[in-house]
Amino acid sequence: MGHLRVYTIADVIARFKRMQGYDVLFPMGWDAFGLPAENAAIERGVTPADWTMQNVEKMKDQLIRMNGGFDWSREFMTCDPDFYKHTQRIFLLLHEHGLAYQASSLVNYDPIDRTVLANEQVDSEGFSWRSGAKAERVLLKQWFLRVTEYKEALLADLDHLGQNDQWPDRVLAMQRNWLGRSEGAILKFMLSSTSRVPSRHRSVSVFTTRPDTLVGVQYIALSVSHPLVVTLAGKDPYLKEFVDQALGLPEDSKAGYLLPGIVAHNPLSSIADMPDCVSAPLPVYVAPYVLQDYGEGAVMGVPGHDTRDHEFWRLHENTIPIREVIEHVNTPESLPANHDSDQHELYTKPGILTSTCGKLAGMTSHKASEHIVQSLSTSNNLAQRGENWRIRDWLISRQRYWGTPIPIIHCDNCGAVPVPLKDLPVELPKLEGEWFQRKGGNPLESAGDWVKTKCPSCNSPAKRDTDTMDTFVDSSWYFMRFVDPHNAAEPFSPEKADALLPVDIYVGGIEHAILHLLYARFVSKFLASTELWPSGGGKDNKAEPFRRLITQGMVHGKTYSDPRTGRFLKPEDLDLSVPTKPRMVATSEIPAISWEKMSKSKYNGVDPSRCMDAYGADVTRAHILFQAPVSQVLEWEEERIVGIQRWFGRIWRALDTLPAQKLDHQSSIPPIEKFTEAELQLYTAVQQTIVSVTTSLSTTFALNTVISDLIKLTNSITSTSITSDAILYYATSSLIRMLAPIAPAFCEECWERLHSPPSGTSIFTQPFPTRTDAVSPGQITQRCAVQENGKLRFAVGIPTAPKELIENRDQTDLTAWVIAEIEKTAEGAKWLESRKEREWMRIVVVKGGKTVNFVGYRGYFA
């Protein structure tokens, strides 16, 4: 149902743009590689290729049945060698430019799927986003794409994407956070040792955003892969054992190994007149919580002002008091130097330096940071300004079968050698279903005939790389392939890319904000530096892939669970004979009801095919759009779909009241000045609906309000007393054309029924309605309900109030204007005349004149 929602949204916009006269490219393809397909195939004992083809066939049938207007002539699958040979070509381009490289690194490993995960594929609790398993940390040689080479552009160009609300603020914030630029300083801590330490390790550099806490440093912690640790582990068997065990610990582990005979020295100890505490030697630990790819792979431990450091220190140095050096700006007096921070809340924010800091005491954190960095950089070169980024290079290696093979050959003589372009694609070997009975791992490692090959450089025996690419590599560029899908020689031609890229409107889920979208931006910017897309979409586009981004919310299903155990209930566990009073079959108890993301494990999924069979594709589409704003979660309540069915029925019956017309629906409309008040009101309702619907479909994408606006217009048409066939036809034909992008099949039928003889042309050959200039602003009317002390007295049609009056906070002029317009009507003039002697306490105008309430003393009213 989630797929049906996103494709309905996209299809509505595409059809609307076509009716506006745009040349619209709205293609469809299949992102077919990846772990989900392989795991599903393993469960069923079939090949991933067979399982994928079955699902593509089923999904394509659903998309056709939903009345989607896709361009199927551009269809392709990412698992087709004709496609992934170009993915391999782009990989080789990245490799040629030094942006694809292999390195040994601590990586996230999924023990269930038995493959590596990118940082972005592990949630904040350390669990795999796919299998849900707790990710492990292992040291492996992997392929990376150097995303960090483009980090500055990826960050700076978010401002460009944020202009005119092109991208949602939430997505921009998520990408800024993931890029994670932070400014601070790199501080050098000198080391001394009773044992022999190589000269290249005589100091440790630390990046910090808080130089102001330097007096509070009480230890140094190094990552398990820090160069000094690697060197010492070769000599210290206990350290080596700790490092080996630490690889399997979670990143938030507080385990630590104290390096014997090695201490660090606070750089402030080299400056005169500093407090004595900075002269104390600092113990040096190896700690799994320190990340090698953060800063320099080392941190300065400040247990008095960092929660993580505090917990580590309490575990390893519990007898030594914690030093606090920063206090809140409003704290009346400094804390003692050895104050026990467990007795009060840890203060982790900037503030004022305490008396413990000697001559730095009383400085603000900002001023102290500036002073410390400046002093250390000029006196002993122990500090320099620096920055750190959260973003890391993109790990793309996957130890699985169902993905694009990495086009590299490993030779003992030549090393890693790119596969020649003439030999692309490197195709996956065809393996039988029995290969996938091993429940995970990489079958390619055992495909000996495929692995064994010749080195392209020296012709010696060599081996293919058995890793495949992360499926996000495919989706980082496949949208570009749509512009030239049958090009066998290149991913796409530069000419066609310039003609059709970037993508004007992209519709997708918020879950892709820092995966697919970030990677697509990186690859687009890279390809703009090559001959494939040298224009990058023009100077003003900044090589961005998507101009406008629309993020749709998820679809949640009604979920039943046992209130005692929390176990999710299957449909057969429930008695839904009375839908409003569900019962558990086994106990007759009332189940717990919640709205959850649709999933098989929660038994709350809805089959789109069944829904379309029951209600029709167009009714289902309209219901999806009407139930929630595009960006919000949609709680699927099927029982409410009957309201859309009834609305369509009213439109169909309304056609019975109209004689069939010719297609020239404007020619017989009488001059505006000859309209009756009822005719003008209906004509005005059409004009206002056109403006509102056009804005919703082109600017705000508030598609639920499109439905509500069209329902209101339907009410106006079916309740009017006018007899002018021309105006009724104009209103009805406008309604049907505005509804057509949402309900294409239904509106095609309505369009044929509206014309005699049948036009034989599609409604989508007709233009989308536009507001006419035949009605001046003063003629556009609205219904004004006149109340007296809160009671409705009558309603009249008055012009829409001028915009400047509505927007003015002082409503005095608007009130006078509304009263004057009411007085121009016969009913209004009569009523105001009968009350001209009354003194009103106040007159309240609501919604620009749609309601006006005359309020006075109760004794005045008859």
Side-chain angles (χ1 to χ4, degrees), residues 3 134 148 276 281 292 346 425 435-436 451 512 579 664 738 850:
H3 284 125
K134 186 73 172 180
T148 52
D276 293 340
Q292 176 59 33
L346 200 68
W435 283 89
F436 300 97
V451 173
H512 295 305
D664 188 6
M738 285 188 281
K850 291 184 177 180

Side-chain angles (χ1 to χ4, degrees), residues 203 240 261 349 433 440 470 481 489 712 761 842 861:
S203 66
K240 185 178 186 305
K349 298 178 181 179
D470 178 10
R481 180 65 175 172
K712 290 177 184 176
T761 59
R842 63 182 184 276
F861 300 107

Side-chain angles (χ1 to χ4, degrees), residues 426-726:
V426 176
E427 293 194 40
L428 287 169
K430 290 181 171 57
L431 303 179
E432 299 301 322
E434 61 196 41
W435 283 89
F436 300 97
Q437 298 296 325
R438 293 179 298 153
K439 305 299 181 186
N442 187 359
L444 293 179
E445 294 176 348
S446 304
D449 293 341
W450 181 83
V451 173
K452 295 176 183 177
T453 187
K454 295 288 186 179
C455 173
S457 296
C458 69
N459 207 36
S460 299
K463 294 182 178 180
R464 296 191 186 279
D465 197 306
T466 58
D467 283 355
T468 54
M469 297 185 207
D470 178 10
T471 186
F472 282 108
V473 178
D474 302 316
S475 61
S476 70
W477 82 277
Y478 63 50
F479 55 91
M480 293 179 157
R481 180 65 175 172
F482 283 122
V483 308
D484 197 9
H486 308 299
N487 190 331
E490 296 288 344
F492 47 84
S493 75
E495 294 77 18
K496 291 187 176 180
D498 285 342
L500 294 170
L501 293 175
V503 176
D504 290 291
I505 300 175
Y506 177 95
V507 184
I510 192 70
E511 65 272 17
H512 295 305
I514 55 174
L515 289 169
H516 164 52
L517 291 176
L518 188 64
Y519 297 151
R521 294 183 62 220
F522 159 67
V523 171
S524 292
K525 290 179 183 298
F526 165 68
L527 292 178
S529 71
T530 71
E531 60 185 15
L532 280 175
W533 194 32
S535 74
K539 180 181 178 182
D540 294 335
N541 185 57
K542 300 183 182 295
E544 289 290 341
F546 313 117
R547 280 203 177 99
R548 182 68 188 259
L549 175 64
I550 303 171
T551 53
Q552 94 285 350
M554 292 183 177
V555 180
H556 286 188
K558 186 175 286 188
T559 310
Y560 299 93
S561 59
D562 188 321
R564 291 178 297 176
T565 66
R567 177 179 64 89
F568 293 113
L569 301 174
K570 300 177 182 179
E572 54 266 31
D573 296 332
L574 296 162
D575 176 4
L576 300 176
S577 55
V578 182
T580 57
K581 297 180 179 180
R583 297 279 179 179
M584 295 168 58
V585 172
T587 63
S588 296
E589 292 181 79
I590 299 174
I593 301 175
S594 60
W595 294 95
E596 308 278 351
K597 179 183 176 181
M598 289 186 178
S599 70
K600 293 179 181 178
S601 64
K602 296 175 182 176
Y603 312 107
N604 62 351
V606 175
D607 183 358
S609 295
R610 184 197 61 76
C611 196
M612 289 188 286
D613 286 341
Y615 306 104
D618 285 356
V619 169
T620 304
R621 286 164 59 112
H623 180 64
I624 286 173
L625 298 177
F626 188 46
Q627 283 301 292
V630 165
S631 61
Q632 295 183 14
V633 168
L634 188 159
E635 295 181 347
W636 181 258
E637 294 186 85
E638 197 164 305
E639 56 270 20
R640 293 189 177 184
I641 202 170
V642 67
I644 298 294
Q645 282 185 310
R646 290 170 179 164
W647 172 41
F648 279 20
R650 291 172 59 212
I651 295 174
W652 189 254
R653 290 190 297 273
L655 299 177
D656 292 333
T657 64
L658 283 171
Q661 301 284 321
K662 294 181 180 180
L663 275 178
D664 188 6
H665 48 268
Q666 277 286 114
S667 61
S668 57
I669 295 179
I672 295 297
E673 56 270 16
K674 294 186 178 180
F675 280 11
T676 65
E677 184 172 337
E679 290 171 344
L680 183 60
Q681 284 186 348
L682 179 58
Y683 192 83
T684 299
V686 174
Q687 297 296 301
Q688 292 173 332
T689 304
I690 290 171
V691 172
S692 178
V693 168
T694 300
T695 298
S696 294
L697 288 174
S698 59
T699 305
T700 63
F701 301 104
L703 304 190
N704 60 317
T705 66
V706 172
I707 304 289
S708 61
D709 286 340
L710 295 180
I711 290 174
K712 290 177 184 176
L713 181 58
T714 303
N715 294 339
S716 296
I717 293 172
T718 56
S719 63
T720 186
S721 59
I722 67 174
T723 58
S724 169
D725 289 341

Side-chain angles (χ1 to χ4, degrees), residues 385-413:
R385 300 189 189 281
E387 64 180 23
N388 191 63
W389 294 73
R390 182 185 178 194
I391 184 73
R392 298 292 173 259
D393 286 340
W394 177 12
L395 190 160
I396 66 164
S397 288
R398 297 294 179 269
Q399 292 70 46
R400 296 299 289 262
Y401 170 79
W402 196 232
T404 299
I406 292 177
I408 294 291
I409 293 172
H410 297 279
C411 173
D412 290 340
N413 300 324

Side-chain angles (χ1 to χ4, degrees), residues 199-442:
S199 58
R200 66 180 183 277
H201 297 311
R202 294 295 172 82
S203 66
V204 169
S205 293
V206 173
F207 173 82
T208 179
T209 59
R210 296 292 303 277
D212 58 313
T213 63
L214 189 52
V215 175
V217 174
Q218 294 185 263
Y219 70 96
I220 296 295
L222 307 178
S223 75
V224 294
S225 53
H226 189 280
L228 173 59
V229 177
V230 173
T231 299
L232 295 177
K235 305 174 182 178
D236 183 344
Y238 297 107
L239 173 58
K240 185 178 186 305
E241 182 182 4
F242 175 81
V243 169
D244 291 342
Q245 293 176 347
L247 294 177
L249 296 175
E251 289 185 359
D252 60 352
S253 169
K254 297 305 179 289
Y257 181 89
L258 178 64
L259 292 179
I262 298 177
V263 294
H265 301 280
N266 194 316
L268 285 177
S269 63
S270 65
I271 298 179
D273 300 326
M274 283 293 163
D276 293 340
C277 60
V278 302
S279 299
L282 304 171
V284 180
Y285 283 88
V286 180
Y289 81 81
V290 182
L291 304 179
Q292 176 59 33
D293 52 7
Y294 179 82
E296 307 293 323
V299 300
M300 59 184 208
V302 186
H305 301 287
D306 183 277
T307 303
R308 179 191 55 187
D309 297 349
H310 181 92
E311 293 173 357
F312 184 87
W313 185 256
R314 282 299 186 196
L315 180 63
H316 296 280
E317 301 282 0
N318 195 36
T319 60
I320 302 177
I322 289 175
R323 189 182 310 142
E324 296 193 2
V325 297
I326 306 291
E327 63 186 4
H328 194 281
V329 175
N330 296 322
T331 300
E333 56 187 37
S334 301
L335 294 168
N338 294 331
H339 185 80
D340 186 355
S341 63
D342 273 358
Q343 302 303 311
H344 70 286
E345 185 177 353
L346 200 68
Y347 187 71
T348 60
K349 298 178 181 179
I352 300 293
L353 272 66
T354 68
S355 58
T356 304
C357 300
K359 66 179 183 180
L360 301 175
M363 289 186 182
T364 64
S365 288
H366 175 74
K367 184 176 180 180
S369 294
E370 294 287 325
H371 179 81
I372 289 170
V373 173
Q374 179 66 25
S375 299
L376 291 175
S377 62
T378 55
S379 61
N380 297 296
N381 198 29
L382 294 178
Q384 63 184 55
R385 300 189 189 281
E387 64 180 23
N388 191 63
W389 294 73
R390 182 185 178 194
I391 184 73
R392 298 292 173 259
D393 286 340
W394 177 12
L395 190 160
I396 66 164
S397 288
R398 297 294 179 269
Q399 292 70 46
R400 296 299 289 262
Y401 170 79
W402 196 232
T404 299
I406 292 177
I408 294 291
I409 293 172
H410 297 279
C411 173
D412 290 340
N413 300 324
C414 307
V417 181
V419 172
L421 295 183
K422 65 181 179 59
D423 294 336
L424 297 181
V426 176
E427 293 194 40
L428 287 169
K430 290 181 171 57
L431 303 179
E432 299 301 322
E434 61 196 41
W435 283 89
F436 300 97
Q437 298 296 325
R438 293 179 298 153
K439 305 299 181 186
N442 187 359

